[in-house]
Amino acid sequence: NGGERELPDIVADLRGQNGIRVIQVGFIDSVNARVRTRFLSVPDVPLAKAVFKFFGGKRGLIENSKNLCAVKPRVEIRLKGQNGLDSVTKPKLGLPCGKG
């Protein structure tokens, strides 16, 4: 982000099976001691699933300040549709705790 914000931006390169490609920039910031990523302008294209995989450790771009296996991690996803409807989900995290 060229140093404009304290945390880095993230880019989602979404490629559909039907040939549609959408590139989105997410703005990462911290609110109430929680990390938030916002995609401010999402085009009106069908999206059934998005999977985000991040490297951890020395290759990681985003780092947790707490051991997520020692606390109850919270994730909240808020979506606002172009039709004005809102959706909030709180999925479970698939953490590799206790697996070495």
Side-chain angles (χ1 to χ4, degrees):
N1 65 27
E4 293 180 22
R5 289 171 294 287
E6 190 173 327
L7 296 173
D9 295 336
I10 191 165
V11 176
D13 187 354
L14 307 173
R15 300 171 190 221
Q17 294 177 345
N18 54 4
I20 294 175
R21 181 176 182 196
V22 177
I23 298 175
Q24 290 290 290
V25 176
F27 300 99
I28 301 174
D29 60 1
S30 178
V31 176
N32 299 324
R34 295 179 72 182
V35 175
R36 169 179 74 174
T37 303
R38 296 177 299 141
F39 295 93
L40 301 180
S41 177
V42 179
D44 190 10
V45 296
L47 179 66
K49 179 179 176 180
V51 176
F52 295 88
K53 294 182 180 183
F54 298 96
F55 291 114
K58 293 179 182 179
R59 295 175 65 191
L61 295 175
I62 302 171
E63 181 179 309
N64 292 302
S65 60
K66 294 181 181 178
N67 178 352
L68 293 182
C69 293
V71 297
K72 185 177 180 180
R74 298 180 300 157
V75 173
E76 182 175 285
I77 300 172
R78 292 177 179 233
L79 303 171
K80 181 168 186 124
Q82 292 182 351
N83 60 1
L85 296 178
D86 294 328
S87 172
V88 177
T89 58
K90 297 180 181 183
K92 292 182 180 180
L93 290 179
L95 298 175
C97 300
K99 295 183 181 179

